[in-house]
Amino acid sequence: MLSQLVFDEKFFKDVFGAPGTDSYDWRNVIKFLLSLRGSITKFTLRLPKDMVFDVEDINHWFLFLSGKEIKDVSLINMHETPLKLPDHLFSCLELKCLEIRDCYFCPPLSFRGFPNLLKLNLLRVHFESYKFGELVTCCPVLEILGNYVDGLLGKVKAVEIAQLDNLKSLSMSLSNLDTGTLTSSSIFQLVGSFSKLQEVILVFLNCKLLAEAGATKGITTTFPCLEILRLWSVDCNKDIEVSLVLKMICCSPKLQKLQIVGTYENDVPPIAPCSSDFNDNTMWRSQLRSVVFACSKGSKSEIYLIKTLLACSPLLKKIAIGLNTSLMVDGADGRLQFAEKLLKLHRASTMAEIDLFYFSNWDSSVPYYYW
């Protein structure tokens, strides 16, 4: 019995022959589907960019699948033009996992949500008349929500996603957050809305974090269940972003894994790190076991950040630091000088290792090898 189905470039090549054929007989796909017996629990549809598809044909495929107890759907559109999601996808009410890429989200008027959906991942999904908030509030048991670097085309209201009481994993670009001003407090308020949250990915790309009166010294929010924190496109030249990173760690008593991917806007000179909030008299003790810090240039603010992490993590096993050689401070000698400075830093953990590797802005997959 076939329970998982993948329609990708290889599948279409097997059905229709080599790309470039003048016409395709899509009835062959329907014939294939009708030949299947039993449930189809998982369906992956990857539309190659060199093939032209009719949404009505795809709609027929989902009409068939909606009666097959489908629970997991990935619809990956590789074309430059977004695809209108087929209406019959919204009839798959037993869905538990849904991944969408490069599509228009335009459900029929009768759509009332996915009552059983646990995982929703979005990449370059366009919401027009149907708002994103209305979707997530119609998925009451959602546990995993992701929209990535260039994910959601439209703004997200924090008050809407805050209604997801069961959320355990949140991934989002902060530039998509519908807020007049983005501050440390608004980020804490967003993440702190979810009492069961275990994993957070926040992307700082194309967003400006503003200072607040009194900074964030009065923040009392904690993230009691957070175990994994990933922060992408953090500008370590900006004290306000370095301070936010440390405060999020400080407020996460169960945090074990930390990943930071740095960036440097316009390559401005780093400012002197501010240690007023985290000095030797107010050091906390984290539960961190593993840290990855990618795209380092060896600046003073980075040294300060690494120094604080080493000093406050008695259970740390490894901190992997990715050096961007094209940005290194002090030129060719920068790598050696940076390594010498790291070796002099105090480590609260006697077993903590410092692992240096090379990293570029375009190689975003590298950090995962160091978890």
Side-chain angles (χ1 to χ4, degrees):
M1 182 186 299
L2 183 65
S3 62
Q4 299 186 18
L5 195 59
V6 178
F7 285 7
D8 58 6
E9 186 173 3
K10 182 180 183 303
F11 170 82
F12 292 117
K13 184 177 179 180
D14 291 341
V15 172
F16 300 121
T21 306
D22 293 336
S23 62
Y24 302 113
D25 189 349
W26 295 102
R27 290 174 298 180
N28 290 340
V29 179
I30 292 296
K31 291 177 182 178
F32 171 76
L33 289 173
L34 292 176
S35 70
L36 301 177
R37 296 291 180 266
S39 301
I40 303 294
T41 57
K42 183 174 182 178
F43 178 51
T44 299
L45 175 59
R46 184 180 294 271
L47 303 177
K49 61 181 179 181
D50 56 359
M51 295 185 70
V52 178
F53 294 84
D54 188 327
V55 70
E56 284 306 314
D57 289 313
I58 300 175
N59 199 32
H60 290 151
W61 304 345
F62 277 97
L63 173 61
F64 170 82
L65 291 167
S66 63
K68 288 288 185 176
E69 303 176 17
I70 189 74
K71 292 180 172 59
D72 188 332
V73 168
S74 294
L75 204 167
I76 312 299
N77 176 29
M78 305 302 292
H79 287 252
E80 292 184 2
T81 303
L83 174 78
K84 180 182 179 295
L85 287 176
D87 286 347
H88 285 295
L89 169 65
F90 301 99
S91 301
C92 302
L93 299 183
E94 295 185 42
L95 276 181
K96 292 188 176 182
C97 301
L98 178 60
E99 179 182 2
I100 306 173
R101 171 176 171 174
D102 281 297
C103 293
Y104 287 114
F105 197 96
C106 304
L109 294 177
S110 59
F111 179 63
R112 294 294 180 269
F114 296 110
N116 300 301
L117 196 66
L118 298 175
K119 180 179 180 179
L120 176 63
N121 279 333
L122 306 172
L123 180 62
R124 290 193 293 273
V125 176
H126 301 247
F127 284 79
E128 295 180 342
S129 59
Y130 195 84
K131 298 178 182 178
F132 172 76
E134 295 177 12
L135 168 63
V136 296
T137 53
C138 290
C139 304
V141 298
L142 198 64
E143 295 182 355
I144 301 173
L145 174 61
N147 78 83
Y148 296 94
V149 180
D150 50 359
L152 192 69
L153 299 183
K155 292 295 183 179
V156 179
K157 293 183 181 294
V159 67
E160 293 172 333
I161 59 175
Q163 300 179 44
L164 298 172
D165 295 334
N166 296 308
L167 203 65
K168 296 179 181 179
S169 177
L170 173 66
S171 309
M172 71 175 299
S173 174
L174 292 173
S175 62
N176 288 330
L177 196 60
D178 187 14
T179 177
T181 56
L182 184 65
T183 63
S184 295
S185 292
S186 61
I187 294 174
F188 267 75
Q189 183 178 6
L190 170 67
V191 179
S193 300
F194 311 104
S195 60
K196 299 179 182 178
L197 208 56
Q198 298 174 8
E199 179 178 11
V200 170
I201 301 176
L202 296 179
V203 183
F204 289 76
L205 188 68
N206 298 326
C207 69
K208 185 177 182 180
L209 190 62
L210 301 178
E212 305 171 84
T216 52
K217 295 179 182 178
I219 288 179
T220 57
T221 305
T222 60
F223 314 127
C225 297
L226 190 62
E227 297 179 0
I228 301 174
L229 178 62
R230 297 174 179 165
L231 303 172
W232 296 348
S233 299
V234 175
D235 192 341
C236 290
N237 283 339
K238 298 178 180 178
D239 177 65
I240 189 172
E241 295 191 17
V242 173
S243 180
L244 172 64
V245 171
L246 292 174
K247 284 169 180 159
M248 291 192 73
I249 299 169
C250 181
C251 294
S252 306
K254 293 186 178 180
L255 189 66
Q256 296 189 24
K257 294 184 177 182
L258 171 68
Q259 180 194 86
I260 302 172
V261 180
T263 188
Y264 298 92
E265 295 181 6
N266 303 320
D267 199 26
V268 296
I271 59 176
C274 173
S275 59
S276 57
D277 296 332
F278 298 95
N279 54 47
D280 293 337
N281 296 323
T282 59
M283 285 295 183
W284 77 100
R285 288 292 177 265
S286 80
Q287 300 296 309
L288 280 171
R289 268 73 163 179
S290 173
V291 175
V292 176
F293 180 27
C295 199
S296 170
K297 60 184 292 185
S299 67
K300 292 182 179 179
S301 53
E302 292 172 356
I303 293 288
Y304 170 69
L305 176 59
I306 296 169
K307 173 185 176 181
T308 306
L309 292 175
L310 287 173
C312 300
S313 307
L315 302 178
L316 187 66
K317 295 181 179 179
K318 176 184 286 189
I319 176 168
I321 302 172
L323 302 179
N324 189 323
T325 55
S326 65
L327 296 176
M328 285 301 295
V329 174
D330 299 324
D333 296 330
R335 285 172 288 178
L336 178 59
Q337 294 179 17
F338 183 57
E340 290 175 344
K341 292 176 183 177
L342 293 179
L343 290 174
K344 296 177 182 178
L345 297 179
H346 169 68
R347 308 180 199 184
S349 171
T350 57
M351 56 183 174
E353 298 179 359
I354 299 178
D355 186 5
L356 299 181
F357 65 97
Y358 295 117
F359 177 87
S360 71
N361 287 324
W362 308 106
D363 195 5
S364 59
S365 64
V366 168
Y368 292 102
Y369 295 109
Y370 290 85
W371 278 105

